[in-house]
Amino acid sequence: LGAMNTVVALGIATFKAVVVVLFFMHVKYSSKLTWLVVVASVFWLGILLVLTLSDYLTRSWMTFG
């Protein structure tokens, strides 16, 4: 696979995280409020990742020294 190793590893990790949240944390059979908290937390994580990556990608790549 070569260059696809990272993509495959992230896909497997995401699948495992979803399985843990749904089954081992009992979210699949819980109330709508629990689902709302899970969705809101994933949305908040997305916001934090977008803000972090936007800061990282807009920096000037100058070397000092």
Side-chain angles (χ1 to χ4, degrees), residues 46-63:
I47 289 173
L48 292 177
L49 288 174
V50 165
L51 289 174
T52 301
L53 288 175
S54 67
D55 177 53
Y56 178 74
L57 294 174
T58 57
R59 290 178 183 248
S60 60
W61 296 97
M62 299 171 57
T63 14

Side-chain angles (χ1 to χ4, degrees), residues 1 6 8-9 16 21 24-25 28 31 33 36 52 55 63:
L1 296 191
T6 304
V8 171
K16 286 172 69 172
V21 168
F24 297 115
M25 295 177 71
K28 184 173 181 176
S31 67
L33 181 61
L36 179 67
T52 301
D55 177 53
T63 14

Side-chain angles (χ1 to χ4, degrees), residues 28-53:
K28 184 173 181 176
Y29 303 110
S30 60
S31 67
K32 298 292 182 188
L33 181 61
T34 306
W35 275 98
L36 179 67
V37 169
V38 169
V39 170
S41 64
V42 170
F43 181 69
W44 181 247
L45 177 65
I47 289 173
L48 292 177
L49 288 174
V50 165
L51 289 174
T52 301
L53 288 175

